[in-house]
């Protein structure tokens, strides 16, 4: 968040990461708020929008980290669904934002409701399979970073189904997967954001 001068975060799965993201965005705000407000087109600057389908877990995080004033929490039902006939899970009521960083550490495999032709992630031999970012892929701007924490099968699902020009890296040391949208900027505002956040040589 800090090294990339991220302005808007979509977090899927609340937890300790929520507090870390909040702190990093607060640091960015202190350093870059004036530039971002005057030069970039960012409607949710220095905000983290955190989605979870577990009300108890959301309340636990709120109670443990009381002063996170740049976090918006969303309780969203999570259902078994499919994308292009490939079974996955999708949230209902996602925040209507344009993030430049998406952090995925949810949902767990057992809580999504329903099934698709009798199949679900709830079988103990299966694994979580979030598909939400696929549905918003074509709204994401060049320079966007997706971080998948663990969830290797889910990361491979995303890698197989995302359609745009993503650079992919798996850090085995930290068990994290990184997808960076490496495309030519869309226009003047996106170009200005990419150059500010990632450097003038990023898209060359």
């Amino acid at each position: 968040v800090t090294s990339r001068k991220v302005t808007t975060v979509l977090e899927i799965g609340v937890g300790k990461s929520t507090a870390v993201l909040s702190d990093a965005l607060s640091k960015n705000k202190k350093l870059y708020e004036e530039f971002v407000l005057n030069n970039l087109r960012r409607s949710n600057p220095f905000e983290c929008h955190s989605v979870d389908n577990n009300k108890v877990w959301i309340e636990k995080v709120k109670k443990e980290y009381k002063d996170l004033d740049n976090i918006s929490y969303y309780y969203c039902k999570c259902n078994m669904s499919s994308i292009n006939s490939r079974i996955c899970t999708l949230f209902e009521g996602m925040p209507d934002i344009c993030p430049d960083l998406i952090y995925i550490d949810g949902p767990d495999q057992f809580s999504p409701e329903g099934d698709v032709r009798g199949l679900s992630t709830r079988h103990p031999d299966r694994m979580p399979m979030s598909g939400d970012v696929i549905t918003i892929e074509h709204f994401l701007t060049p320079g966007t970073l997706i971080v998948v924490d663990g969830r290797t099968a889910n990361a491979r699902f995303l890698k197989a189904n995302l359609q745009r020009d993503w650079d992919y890296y798996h850090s085995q040391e930290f068990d994290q997967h990184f997808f960076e949208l490496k495309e030519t900027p869309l226009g003047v505002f996106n170009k200005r954001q990419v150059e500010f956040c990632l450097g003038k040589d990023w898209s060359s």
Side-chain angles (χ1 to χ4, degrees), residues 53 75 77-81 89 110-115 120 122:
N53 63 325
Y75 166 68
K77 288 186 177 181
C78 188
N79 301 312
M80 294 305 307
S81 187
T89 62
F110 298 106
S111 60
E113 300 177 4
D115 63 74
S120 79
R122 294 186 299 277

Side-chain angles (χ1 to χ4, degrees), residues 10-203:
L10 171 61
E11 180 188 35
I12 300 179
V14 304
K16 292 181 179 179
S17 56
T18 309
V20 174
L21 293 167
S22 172
D23 180 69
L25 285 169
S26 295
K27 291 175 179 176
N28 284 357
K29 183 175 182 178
K30 288 179 181 178
L31 292 172
Y32 311 121
E33 181 177 26
E34 183 176 354
F35 181 90
V36 170
L37 294 179
N38 292 330
N39 296 279
L40 304 184
R41 189 166 64 185
R42 303 301 293 160
S43 298
N44 302 94
F46 312 108
E47 297 176 1
C48 177
H49 295 255
S50 299
V51 174
D52 209 294
N53 63 325
N54 188 320
K55 286 183 179 178
V56 174
W57 191 243
I58 291 175
E59 292 305 317
K60 180 179 179 180
V61 171
K62 284 183 177 180
K63 185 176 180 179
E64 185 170 353
Y65 306 107
K66 296 179 180 179
D67 300 321
L68 307 184
D69 56 5
N70 55 1
I71 303 291
S72 296
Y73 296 94
Y74 300 79
Y75 166 68
C76 301
K77 288 186 177 181
C78 188
N79 301 312
M80 294 305 307
S81 187
S82 64
I83 297 174
N84 295 328
S85 299
R86 289 165 172 80
I87 295 172
C88 61
T89 62
L90 294 174
F91 282 101
E92 294 181 12
M94 293 284 283
D96 192 13
I97 60 169
C98 294
D100 46 336
L101 187 143
I102 302 172
Y103 184 84
I104 302 175
D105 192 21
D108 66 273
Q109 75 182 84
F110 298 106
S111 60
E113 300 177 4
D115 63 74
V116 176
R117 303 190 313 278
L119 302 173
S120 79
T121 59
R122 294 186 299 277
H123 189 284
D125 296 343
R126 294 210 171 101
M127 58 286 293
M129 202 62 64
S130 170
D132 298 279
V133 295
I134 295 173
T135 67
I136 63 171
E137 177 187 10
H138 290 281
F139 291 106
L140 301 176
T141 56
T144 298
L145 182 72
I146 300 171
V147 181
V148 183
D149 194 354
R151 306 168 67 93
T152 295
N154 196 166
R156 291 178 180 175
F157 172 75
L158 297 180
K159 187 173 184 289
N161 287 277
L162 290 168
Q163 298 178 338
R164 296 171 69 187
D165 293 331
W166 296 88
D167 277 358
Y168 167 75
Y169 173 72
H170 177 203
S171 170
Q172 295 189 8
E173 179 182 1
F174 297 106
D175 192 22
Q176 290 183 319
H177 305 260
F178 300 86
F179 298 81
E180 185 178 42
L181 187 50
K182 291 283 289 188
E183 291 181 342
T184 303
L186 298 173
V188 61
F189 287 107
N190 183 212
K191 183 174 185 291
R192 193 179 299 165
Q193 181 181 344
V194 165
E195 290 182 352
F196 169 69
C197 296
L198 304 172
K200 293 186 177 181
D201 296 331
W202 178 85
S203 58

